[in-house]
Amino acid sequence: MTATIIDQGFTQPAPAAQKPNGHTQSDPETLIKEGYDPRLANKDLAPLKKQTWSWYNIFAFWMSDVHSVGGYVTAGSLFALGIASWQVFIALIVGIVIVQALVNLIAKPSQRAGVPFPVTMRFVFGVRGANIPAIIRGIIAVAWYGVQTFLASESLNIIFLKFIPASQTLANDYSFLGLSALGWISYGILWVAQACVFWTGMDTIRKFTDWAGPLVYAVMFILAIYLVVRAGGLGAIDLNLSNSAPLGFMESIPVMITAIALVVSYFSGPMLNFGDFSRYCGSYKSVKKGNFWGLPVNFVVFSLLTVVCASATVPVFGELITDPIKTVERIDTPLAILLGGLTFVTATVGINIVANFVSPAFDFSHVNPQKISWRTGGMIAAVGSVIITPWNWYSNDQAIHYTLDLLGALIGPLFGILVAGYFIVAKQRIAVDDLFTMDPKGRYWYRNGFNPNAVLTVLLAGIPSICCAVLPSPLNEMGIIDLTALSNFSWFIGAGLGLAIFALLERKRPQIVRLADSESDPSVSDGAAKE
């Protein structure tokens, strides 16, 4: 062993001459020790030698995640639930503060150990069993990667149609596999652009998100000011986007709770694998600071801009428009269409890379580290996003309901298991070196590389969570019972059950050996230690 990792601190980086083969200048250096099993380690999955991200990089990450077409539509839809605007803002604040607290929890093990999400899961699921959460999260990311690329291509289509009138023929007269020729061109351009950004490495992705979020903010402020002026001032705008009669106080409480649940559910995907990014941050304190500015502060400000823009479309265009792409399209100014279209393309590309490209890259690499590098894993996700032809099933509510909802229902149990394993069972202490050994004597070998408690918890917590997500809709359609509101809480049900069941199983038949506070192994990551 040439170096060790202690607490959240790391040894100094090795000289450049010792840089592992295959790294580029944009790749943070990792440490592969002599005893690490090649079936579990490569230059992307091993612990980092040095963590260099600041709180601003985490803040920028969340800006890229929030500032998207999906984020705009989601925030706008909450104001159309039939409750007063002040009640919506309370729900937004409560929901995003919950997200912030949960993200702080999920960030800690990866930040302390310097390893990505799937590797962190090894101490809970076993060195082999960790492929279960990795594959689940990877498949979800591939599906959403395709959807987000398709949404971004719609923005690009608008630019082509405005500035190249001849492209109308490609949009109307030619199609393949359900997508117009123009759609294929736009999708292909964005597919290649995202792949290029991703291929250059995590440092380039960090730089991209650092400026992409502020750029979207600038354009959103310009758009809001323009619409407010066109509407005749703030006095001419009604911030209540609901068409239904206002709800009474008692009637509004369940709706507010539902709004809170929707906020948490919206962030559930990137929240689970946030360790893929927190591992790069120099301290846990910086992670929490970045989460504070990037979540409650950033999300509330963006939501306010969203509702102002959406509300202003009523007096300006005569109808409520909650899609920012369509709002920009209605502005009959070439410069506005170009600037707005490119901005929302950038915004969607930003969330796509951080939420749906990096995640499956680590997840698929984790399945076979020697044959699948981080870059190869990402390209597998990119190719898969085309094969599933997301434009065909994105508009099909049933297809989304029975695929993404089913897989997404498992995110909650996985979250609960990781939190219970790290904070309740392991008491925030992980033997980092044992995450990379296939030795049956290793701490995380358990039974043939699987922790039976974790696998059983996925089943016991996953089945109720899936039922809550999938069954209410068909039961309501058949007129049996209306439980549709239950679908909004499938993440909470799954996470709560996952945490409780795993903690109980580990108490009754313990698998995870708690490391003593006096543990002398210098590779032990101690999350309870002071920074």
Side-chain angles (χ1 to χ4, degrees):
M1 302 291 182
T2 58
T4 56
I5 302 174
I6 52 176
D7 296 342
Q8 91 280 9
F10 290 82
T11 56
Q12 293 299 315
Q18 298 178 19
K19 199 170 185 179
N21 292 333
H23 272 291
T24 69
Q25 291 183 349
S26 292
D27 288 325
E29 292 186 70
T30 55
L31 175 65
I32 301 179
K33 296 185 181 180
E34 185 178 350
Y36 285 5
D37 195 299
R39 292 170 291 180
L40 296 174
N42 61 22
K43 62 184 178 60
D44 305 304
L45 301 177
L48 293 170
K49 286 184 177 180
K50 189 175 182 180
Q51 296 163 298
T52 59
W53 284 24
S54 68
W55 71 269
Y56 177 80
N57 301 132
I58 299 297
F59 171 41
F61 164 85
W62 287 118
M63 277 197 288
S64 292
D65 196 75
V66 171
H67 301 175
S68 66
V69 175
Y72 186 106
V73 173
T74 299
S77 66
L78 296 179
F79 285 85
L81 291 176
I83 54 179
S85 295
W86 67 268
Q87 293 174 307
V88 176
F89 273 109
I90 289 178
L92 283 173
I93 293 171
V94 173
I96 204 64
V97 168
I98 292 174
V99 172
Q100 178 196 6
L102 296 175
V103 167
N104 285 342
L105 292 178
I106 212 73
K108 196 169 191 179
S110 288
Q111 191 281 322
R112 292 292 197 177
V115 295
F117 160 74
V119 176
T120 302
M121 284 300 234
R122 290 176 185 174
F123 92 92
V124 182
F125 277 83
V127 291
R128 286 179 171 173
N131 281 326
I132 295 173
I135 292 173
I136 291 173
R137 181 65 184 99
I139 293 175
I140 294 173
V142 169
W144 278 114
Y145 179 82
V147 169
Q148 292 286 2
T149 302
F150 169 63
L151 291 176
S153 70
E154 294 283 275
S155 298
L156 200 54
N157 285 346
I158 293 174
I159 296 175
F160 279 126
L161 291 171
K162 180 64 179 180
F163 294 94
I164 308 177
S167 62
Q168 189 71 48
T169 302
L170 296 175
N172 298 331
D173 298 344
Y174 302 96
S175 64
F176 178 67
L177 295 178
L179 186 65
S180 69
L182 180 61
W184 274 106
I185 292 172
S186 296
Y187 192 96
I189 291 173
L190 291 172
W191 191 95
V192 172
Q194 292 175 114
C196 289
V197 172
F198 169 82
W199 195 263
T200 54
M202 280 298 298
D203 195 54
T204 301
I205 293 174
R206 175 187 61 80
K207 293 175 181 177
F208 178 83
T209 58
D210 281 352
W211 64 263
L215 173 64
V216 177
Y217 253 138
V219 174
M220 281 289 291
F221 272 106
I222 293 173
L223 180 62
I225 294 172
Y226 170 81
L227 291 173
V228 168
V229 172
R230 282 280 305 273
L234 287 173
I237 298 176
D238 182 6
L239 297 181
N240 183 17
L241 302 181
S242 177
N243 293 323
S244 57
L247 298 176
F249 178 76
M250 294 305 297
E251 293 176 308
S252 67
I253 298 300
V255 180
M256 290 179 66
I257 295 174
T258 298
I260 292 171
L262 289 172
V263 171
V264 177
S265 297
Y266 177 77
F267 288 97
S268 63
M271 183 164 57
L272 177 65
N273 68 286
F274 183 61
D276 291 337
F277 299 90
S278 67
R279 72 180 293 219
Y280 296 101
C281 207
S283 70
Y284 183 56
K285 182 178 180 180
S286 294
V287 173
K288 291 189 292 183
K289 182 178 180 180
N291 286 342
F292 170 75
W293 287 102
L295 287 169
V297 176
N298 172 53
F299 185 66
V300 170
V301 172
F302 184 77
S303 298
L304 180 60
L305 284 172
T306 295
V307 73
V308 169
C309 290
S311 300
T313 60
V314 177
V316 173
F317 303 117
E319 61 177 319
L320 176 63
I321 305 175
T322 58
D323 187 331
I325 297 175
K326 293 181 180 178
T327 300
V328 170
E329 189 177 11
R330 293 287 292 272
I331 300 175
D332 193 21
T333 305
L335 179 61
I337 293 176
L338 179 62
L339 180 61
L342 290 178
T343 298
F344 286 111
V345 165
T346 301
T348 307
V349 166
I351 186 178
N352 218 12
I353 291 177
V354 299
N356 302 317
F357 215 151
V358 172
S359 170
F362 281 122
D363 293 333
F364 294 147
S365 177
H366 184 271
V367 175
N368 194 331
Q370 289 307 297
K371 293 184 178 180
I372 305 176
S373 67
W374 180 74
R375 286 178 173 79
T376 303
M379 295 314 297
I380 290 174
V383 172
S385 72
V386 179
I387 294 176
I388 64 174
T389 61
W391 48 85
N392 284 324
W393 57 265
Y394 179 67
S395 58
N396 186 327
D397 293 338
Q398 292 299 319
I400 294 176
H401 185 63
Y402 288 110
T403 52
L404 293 182
D405 283 1
L406 189 149
L407 290 170
L410 295 176
I411 290 179
L414 295 177
F415 183 96
I417 291 171
L418 178 54
V419 170
Y422 186 69
F423 290 95
I424 298 176
V425 182
K427 301 298 181 182
Q428 305 184 53
R429 291 174 65 80
I430 302 176
V432 178
D433 288 348
D434 284 68
L435 297 173
F436 297 93
T437 178
M438 297 284 278
D439 187 341
K441 296 181 181 179
R443 291 182 177 91
Y444 308 123
W445 178 252
Y446 303 123
R447 297 182 187 177
N448 296 318
F450 292 82
N451 182 348
N453 289 342
V455 176
L456 182 59
T457 302
V458 171
L459 295 175
L460 296 179
I463 291 175
S465 182
I466 290 173
C467 290
C468 290
V470 176
L471 292 182
S473 181
L475 288 176
N476 185 48
E477 291 175 0
M478 290 185 289
I480 299 176
I481 187 172
D482 185 4
L483 296 174
T484 51
L486 195 62
S487 298
N488 299 319
F489 300 92
S490 62
W491 184 91
F492 288 93
I493 294 171
L497 288 175
L499 186 147
I501 293 174
F502 185 71
L504 180 62
L505 289 176
E506 282 291 331
R507 183 177 180 181
K508 295 296 184 181
R509 51 176 195 182
Q511 298 293 319
I512 298 176
V513 178
R514 180 187 170 188
L515 304 177
D517 294 340
S518 59
E519 178 68 57
S520 59
D521 188 340
S523 72
V524 171
S525 166
D526 188 357
K530 293 183 179 180
E531 295 191 359

